[in-house]
Amino acid sequence: MKKITRILSGFCAAALMTSSLAGCQTKNASSDVKTSGKEIPTLTVWTIGNQPKNLDEGLAAMNDYTAKKIGVKINLKVAGWGDWETKMNQIINTSEYFDFMFSDNTKYAQQVSQGALAEITDEDLKAVPGLTKLIPEDVWSGAKIKGKLYAIPAYKDSAQTEYWIWDEAIVKKYHIDTKNAITLKQLDPILREIKKGEGAKNKNFYPFIVDFDGVKGMLMNYDDMTLGLPTIGVRVDDPERKVVSVLEQPEVMEDLSILHSWMEDGIMNKDAAICTELPRYRTVFSTQAYPGLEKSFAINMDISDGNTVMEKMAGPVYTNSTIQGSLQVISKQSKYKAECLKYLELLNTDRTLRDMWSYGKEGVNFNYVDKEKGVVKRVIGMDWGLPGYAQGTSATRSVDEGVPTDQWEQIKKLNEAAEKSVILGFTFDREPVRNEVQNVRAVWDKYKNNVKTGAKDPHEIVPQVIQEMKAAGMDKIIAEAQKQIDEQFKK
Amino acid sequence: MTTKVTYQSGLEKFNRIKPGTNVLFNFIFLILAIMCVVPVLFVLMISLTSEKALENGYQFIPKEFSFEAYKFLAQQGHLIFPALGISVFVTVVGTVIGVILTTTLGYVLSRREYKLNKLLTWMVFIPMVFNGGMVSSYYINTNLLHLKDSVWALILPIAVSSFNVIICRTYFRTTIPDSVIESAKIDGASELRIYFRIVLPLSLPVLATIGLFLCFGYWNDWFQSMLYIDNQRMYSLQALLNMTMQNVEYLSKNRAFMGVEAAQLVANLPKEGSRMAIAILIILPIACAYPFFQKYFISGLTVGSVKE
C-alpha cells in the first residue's frame, strides 16, 4: 500500500512539474506575439522550395519594403520540396501557429476538412480589390470547396496546355506534318520511320524517350477531382459528369497499347519505367508550354543552332487541380487575417515585391535588364531557389532574360480560351472514403510506372491493377464521388 | 620448430570444420560479401561517370570518366559542409549521450534489489511495443520542450530507445555475476564506483553494440531533421540527400499543376551523378567507424572471475 502511494505521488509530482512548465512556456509565447504585434505585425509564412543562401538578407529587404507600404512584415520559412508534405501535415495536425502558407491540390481539400483554414468571405475580399480585379471568376470558383473559399489562388498558367516539341531538323528531314501528329496513333508511323532512318547509324537511338511518369498530358482529359489519383476521373467534356475508371476507357487503353508496342520495338527507351533523368535532347516530347517558346526549347535541348517546332497536343483546360496547383491558405488561428490578405494583395499586384519573392534581392540575386518591361537577369551562383509559381500570379512578375516579354499575354490568351472542366468548382470531400483512397493509392503507386510507360503489356497489367484497386475499394470511391457530384450539380 | 602448432594438431584438430563445409561456408559468405559491396561500387562508378555517358545507361566501367559530380559538390560546399559538420557533431555527441543514458538506465534496471525495478521496466518495455505516434511526440517536442530548430532536436528524441535499454539490462543481468558486484561492495566501493570501475570495463561488448546502433542511427537519420528543423541550413547530410531525392519525385508528380516553370525547375536539379556522389560522401565516414567498434566485440571477459 505504502509503495503504491509513493509511486502515485511520484507521478503526481511529475505531472505537476510538466504542467507548470507548459504554463510558463505558453505565456512566454503569447507575450512575444503581443509585443511585436503592437506596431508592425510579423506574419509567419511557409513556402516551398530550396532555401536561398541569403534568405535573411532578401527577407530583410522585403520586410523593409512592405513595412513602409502596408505595415506588415513576414517571417518566411521554407520547406524543401520533398519535406513540404510531411512538414505541413505536422503543422496542421498539431495546430502549430502560422499565418499563411503555400498549399496545392494534393493538400488543400484535406486541410479544409480538418478545419485548419480560415474561410475567406466576400466581405474579406472587398478589402482587397486588387485581388478580385486580377483573378477571373473561373479561377476563384476552381479554388472553392463546397461553395466556400479558403484560399487565394495564384493566377498563372492556371489552364493546362500540353505541346509536342519537335526538333525542327528531324521534322524537315522526314517531312513530318506535325499538325497531323497529335495522337499517339498518328505518331506511330512517323516514329517508326525515324527509328528506321536514324537508328541505322546508332542502334541505341530512341526517337521517343519518356521517364517513369510516361507521356505528359496523356490523361489530362480527365479531371481527377483533386484526388491526385489519375485512375479515377470525370472526362472534362462529359455532359453527364460520369465518374469513370480512367484506365479502362478504350482510348486510354489504346494509347497504352501503342506505348507498349513502342517499348517492344525499340521506338521508346527500354528503361522508361525506372528512368528519372531525361536526356537534354529528345527528338520529340510533350510538355506544358505556351506559344513562342520554340527558341528556348532549342537552347534547352542543346541545339542552339537549330530550332524546334511546337504543336498543341491538348488543352487548354481548366480543372480544379490545375487551378489549385498553387494556393495561399490562411490559418484559422491567424490573428492577422486582414493583414494576410493585404499582404497577398500586394504580392499579387506589386511588381517590386513580386520580384523580390521570386528572384531575391536586387543587385545580389538578380539585376533588372529592363525595369520598364520587367526583364531580369539572375546572378549565376546566387540562385534564390524559391519557385515563382508557388507564390502568386505571373501577371505582375518580371520574366527571365530570353523569355518572350509577352509571356503573360500568351498565357492569358490560353487561360481565356480554356475549356472548363464540367465539374469545375467541385472538390471531392474524401472524408467518407478516406481509407479507400489511401488503399487505392497504394495499389496505384505500386503499378503506376509500369502502366504509364507501357513497360508491361496493358492487356495484362491493367486488368490486374483494376482488380486490385476494386479489392481496395475503388468502386466505393467512384460511387461516393458520383453521389457528391450529382448533389452539387443537380440544381 | 617442434613448438609450432600445425593445423592438424592439438585442439584445432577437434574444432575443425569439414573441408567440404568450409568451402561451402566460404562460398556463401563470398556471395553475401559481393552482394554488399557491388552496389556500393556501382554507386561509386556512377558518380564517376560523365553526364553524357549516363544518358546511355549505367555501366560498371564508365566509357567516360569525369569528376563533374564531385566538382558540383564542391560548388555546393556552402550547403554540404555545414550539413556534414552537423551530421558529425550529432553522431559523436549523440552516441556519447545515448550510450551513457542507455547503459545507466539498463544497469539500474538490471539490479534486483532496486525497488522500482518492475515498474520502470514496464515503463521502458511498453513503449517498445506500442508507441505514441508521430503527432504526439512532435507536439511534446515542439510545444512543450521547445526543441524546434536546434541541434538538440536531432539528438535528444532518439538518444534512448527502449530496445537498447532492454539489451543492456539483459546483458548486465546475464553476464555480470552478482558476486563480482557483491565483492566490490564488501570492499567498500560506492554504487557509482562499482558501475564505472567494475561493471563498465566488463561490458565493453555491450557498450560497443549500443554505440554502434546509436552511431548508425544518428548518422542515417534524416527524419528528425525534416520534422524539427525549419531552417534548411541546419539540416544534417542525410536530410539534405533525402531532400534532393524527394525533390525529383515531387517535381515530377505535380508537374502538370505547376505550369511552365516546372520544366525549368527540373533542369536545375542535381543530376544523377551528383546524387550518387553525395551518397558516397555519406558512406565513407560511417564505413570508417565500423572497424573502430569491431575490436570491442570480445566475449568471455568474465569467464573464470567467479568460482561458484
Side-chain angles (χ1 to χ4, degrees):
Chain A
M1 193 61 215
K2 210 174 173 190
K3 203 169 161 191
I4 292 171
T5 29
R6 202 183 297 165
I7 295 166
L8 277 178
S9 57
F11 267 123
C12 291
L16 268 175
M17 259 171 72
T18 43
S19 56
S20 67
L21 258 175
C24 78
Q25 296 296 5
T26 39
K27 219 183 279 165
N28 278 352
S30 62
S31 66
D32 261 6
V33 174
K34 244 179 236 160
T35 44
S36 61
K38 255 174 203 160
E39 292 130 17
I40 295 178
T42 302
L43 310 176
T44 306
V45 179
W46 277 98
T47 190
I48 193 171
N50 294 321
Q51 188 173 320
K53 256 189 232 175
N54 60 334
L55 178 67
D56 293 341
E57 191 188 5
L59 187 58
M62 270 183 217
N63 281 340
D64 279 350
Y65 184 73
T66 54
K68 261 180 232 148
K69 207 133 190 176
I70 50 171
V72 180
K73 281 185 182 178
I74 58 165
N75 176 17
L76 187 63
K77 299 186 180 187
V78 186
W81 295 101
D83 302 348
W84 174 78
E85 187 176 346
T86 320
K87 272 192 112 92
M88 297 309 116
N89 279 348
Q90 287 295 321
I91 288 173
I92 298 283
N93 289 341
T94 59
S95 334
E96 197 175 309
Y97 188 86
F98 69 94
D99 288 291
F100 69 89
M101 64 158 70
F102 163 75
S103 185
D104 73 3
N105 52 315
T106 60
K107 289 260 93 49
Y108 178 49
Q110 189 193 333
Q111 289 169 346
V112 170
S113 71
Q114 281 178 304
L117 307 183
E119 193 195 332
I120 299 166
T121 59
D122 290 345
E123 256 339 274
D124 294 329
L125 283 180
K126 265 181 205 149
V128 283
L131 283 176
T132 42
K133 218 168 73 191
L134 173 77
I135 302 169
E137 197 44 51
D138 288 340
V139 176
W140 284 118
S141 70
K144 278 180 185 168
I145 288 192
K146 288 189 186 158
K148 287 181 177 169
L149 185 70
Y150 297 90
I152 302 295
Y155 186 41
K156 46 178 194 83
D157 36 3
S158 308
Q160 187 182 359
T161 322
E162 298 281 340
Y163 282 82
W164 288 112
I165 316 293
W166 291 86
D167 174 8
E168 199 186 40
I170 294 284
V171 172
K172 282 197 180 133
K173 188 169 169 191
Y174 293 90
H175 310 289
I176 300 166
D177 176 13
T178 54
K179 285 208 168 38
N180 285 315
I182 304 300
T183 62
L184 296 189
K185 203 175 175 183
Q186 288 169 327
L187 278 172
D188 187 62
I190 301 170
L191 290 178
R192 281 176 197 278
E193 202 191 323
I194 299 175
K195 171 78 182 177
K196 219 182 269 166
E198 302 295 309
K201 286 171 266 166
N202 173 8
K203 68 175 170 35
N204 274 337
F205 172 83
Y206 299 107
F208 197 73
I209 298 177
V210 295
D211 64 7
F212 65 91
D213 199 30
V215 184
K216 319 281 183 198
M218 197 168 81
L219 302 177
M220 71 176 278
N221 284 328
Y222 293 88
D223 188 324
D224 69 349
M225 309 177 290
T226 73
L227 263 186
L229 194 63
T231 56
I232 300 175
V234 177
R235 222 190 130 85
V236 289
D237 53 4
D238 177 11
E240 307 271 305
R241 301 191 178 92
K242 199 163 165 355
V243 186
V244 294
S245 158
V246 174
L247 290 182
E248 286 175 296
Q249 300 307 302
E251 88 261 24
V252 174
M253 202 60 191
E254 189 188 288
D255 280 351
L256 292 175
S257 307
I258 293 175
L259 279 182
H260 182 63
S261 75
W262 288 355
M263 175 84 79
E264 299 258 277
D265 302 342
I267 309 286
M268 193 168 80
N269 53 325
K270 289 227 157 24
D271 65 347
I274 51 162
C275 173
T276 53
E277 208 156 285
L278 290 162
R280 295 186 69 160
Y281 176 82
R282 286 182 285 168
T283 320
V284 58
F285 62 95
S286 64
T287 187
Q288 206 170 349
Y290 52 86
L293 284 179
E294 281 87 352
K295 202 70 201 172
S296 321
F297 278 118
I299 293 167
N300 277 341
M301 277 162 66
D302 257 350
I303 44 166
S304 324
D305 314 336
N307 206 345
T308 58
V309 178
M310 293 174 65
E311 204 59 65
K312 192 150 83 183
M313 169 197 183
V317 176
Y318 267 140
T319 67
N320 294 293
S321 288
T322 64
I323 288 171
Q324 292 177 12
S326 167
L327 305 164
Q328 306 296 328
V329 297
I330 300 174
S331 165
K332 201 168 201 169
Q333 294 180 59
S334 171
K335 301 184 186 78
Y336 304 111
K337 188 172 160 196
E339 281 84 353
C340 286
L341 285 168
K342 237 193 312 181
Y343 193 94
L344 288 171
E345 183 190 25
L346 192 70
L347 178 60
N348 277 294
T349 51
D350 184 280
R351 176 170 279 166
T352 315
L353 182 63
R354 189 70 196 85
D355 287 348
M356 280 182 183
W357 267 71
S358 54
Y359 299 109
K361 192 176 181 196
E362 191 186 346
V364 180
N365 302 96
F366 76 99
N367 289 301
Y368 280 108
V369 176
D370 184 341
K371 197 155 189 176
E372 202 65 2
K373 278 192 188 144
V375 182
V376 300
K377 193 177 166 65
R378 304 184 200 224
V379 175
I380 293 167
M382 282 305 289
D383 193 24
W384 181 243
L386 303 183
Y389 94 91
Q391 303 161 348
T393 181
S394 17
T396 31
R397 185 179 161 217
S398 296
V399 295
D400 277 306
E401 196 183 18
V403 175
T405 44
D406 65 342
Q407 181 194 39
W408 176 244
E409 309 306 315
Q410 298 289 357
I411 291 175
K412 207 171 160 189
K413 248 187 248 161
L414 286 176
N415 278 347
E416 275 156 11
E419 182 187 353
K420 277 177 249 170
S421 159
V422 284
I423 55 166
L424 191 69
F426 167 77
T427 298
F428 187 20
D429 175 14
R430 56 198 88 173
E431 211 43 47
V433 285
R434 205 172 62 189
N435 290 336
E436 283 80 3
V437 170
Q438 228 161 35
N439 295 341
V440 172
R441 189 173 287 151
V443 174
W444 176 236
D445 283 345
K446 194 162 72 176
Y447 291 107
K448 61 181 178 187
N449 293 0
N450 279 328
V451 174
K452 284 199 285 191
T453 56
K456 294 261 165 70
D457 186 356
H459 295 287
E460 282 165 25
I461 196 165
V462 170
Q464 191 187 342
V465 175
I466 296 293
Q467 195 192 351
E468 273 192 45
M469 284 187 170
K470 285 208 160 124
M474 181 170 75
D475 290 336
K476 203 174 155 197
I477 303 176
I478 293 183
E480 176 66 32
Q482 193 67 62
K483 196 182 98 197
Q484 290 182 20
I485 288 178
D486 289 348
E487 256 166 44
Q488 181 163 344
F489 292 98
K490 203 164 42 188
K491 313 144 203 171
Chain B
M1 282 296 270
T2 44
T3 53
K4 191 177 172 193
V5 178
T6 63
Y7 187 53
Q8 296 287 340
S9 72
L11 262 181
E12 296 279 329
K13 201 173 159 187
F14 299 103
N15 287 335
R16 195 155 50 96
I17 322 169
K18 261 194 244 160
T21 327
N22 199 0
V23 169
L24 184 74
F25 276 5
N26 269 304
F27 189 67
I28 291 173
F29 280 107
L30 189 71
I31 290 176
L32 286 177
I34 288 176
M35 279 165 65
C36 295
V37 173
V38 164
V40 178
L41 269 183
F42 204 29
V43 167
L44 179 70
M45 282 342 247
I46 294 172
S47 77
L48 288 172
T49 310
S50 79
E51 219 175 275
K52 270 252 162 59
L54 267 186
E55 282 177 8
N56 298 322
Y58 307 133
Q59 272 168 325
F60 249 111
I61 313 290
K63 274 203 194 102
E64 247 181 279
F65 275 98
S66 109
F67 287 94
E68 274 170 76
Y70 291 92
K71 273 187 205 144
F72 173 82
L73 284 196
Q75 278 167 13
Q76 299 288 310
H78 67 279
L79 279 177
I80 286 168
F81 293 115
L84 185 66
I86 286 174
S87 275
V88 170
F89 179 81
V90 165
T91 307
V92 172
V93 175
T95 307
V96 171
I97 293 180
V99 166
I100 292 175
L101 291 178
T102 309
T103 50
T104 41
L105 182 55
Y107 175 68
V108 169
L109 293 186
S110 76
R111 304 310 310 145
R112 287 192 176 79
E113 57 276 26
Y114 180 52
K115 271 189 190 136
L116 294 180
N117 192 330
K118 260 217 175 106
L119 175 83
L120 287 181
T121 306
W122 279 108
M123 280 177 68
V124 167
F125 181 69
I126 289 171
M128 187 166 96
V129 190
F130 318 94
N131 69 52
M134 206 163 73
V135 173
S136 54
S137 54
Y138 181 85
Y139 188 80
I140 296 286
N141 287 332
T142 57
N143 288 10
L144 201 65
L145 302 174
H146 290 266
L147 276 180
K148 231 180 169 187
D149 254 342
S150 90
V151 76
W152 297 110
L154 304 181
I155 293 177
L156 297 181
I158 48 176
V160 179
S161 84
S162 297
F163 184 66
N164 288 348
V165 174
I166 302 282
I167 290 180
C168 282
R169 175 179 174 271
T170 315
Y171 181 91
F172 290 135
R173 230 184 222 178
T174 50
T175 40
I176 311 283
D178 282 342
S179 329
V180 174
I181 296 168
E182 211 176 312
S183 75
K185 226 176 230 167
I186 293 168
D187 288 343
S190 66
E191 287 290 345
L192 275 180
R193 198 180 178 86
I194 294 173
Y195 177 66
F196 283 110
R197 301 299 291 272
I198 309 276
V199 176
L200 280 193
L202 288 175
S203 311
L204 288 181
V206 81
L207 290 186
T209 310
I210 303 296
L212 193 70
F213 282 171
L214 284 170
C215 185
F216 282 5
Y218 277 115
W219 186 260
N220 289 333
D221 172 68
W222 50 269
F223 201 66
Q224 305 291 323
S225 282
M226 190 179 80
L227 277 188
Y228 298 120
I229 303 294
D230 288 348
N231 184 348
Q232 286 177 26
R233 291 290 162 274
M234 283 174 63
Y235 268 24
S236 65
L237 195 56
Q238 292 286 0
L240 199 71
L241 175 68
N242 181 63
M243 194 171 77
T244 321
M245 298 292 195
Q246 297 282 319
N247 289 352
V248 180
E249 171 84 355
Y250 181 92
L251 288 179
S252 74
K253 199 170 76 186
N254 297 313
R255 188 205 59 94
F257 311 122
M258 287 166 57
V260 177
E261 216 179 332
Q264 194 193 352
L265 290 166
V266 171
N268 287 336
L269 283 176
K271 296 280 174 283
E272 193 118 40
S274 325
R275 300 205 295 266
M276 297 302 167
I278 304 181
I280 291 291
L281 194 67
I282 286 175
I283 297 170
L284 276 183
I286 206 70
C288 299
Y290 193 76
F292 172 77
F293 284 105
Q294 207 178 19
K295 70 175 181 196
Y296 294 103
F297 292 114
I298 334 147
S299 61
L301 265 183
T302 53
V303 172
S305 64
V306 185
K307 294 256 186 301
E308 301 274 344

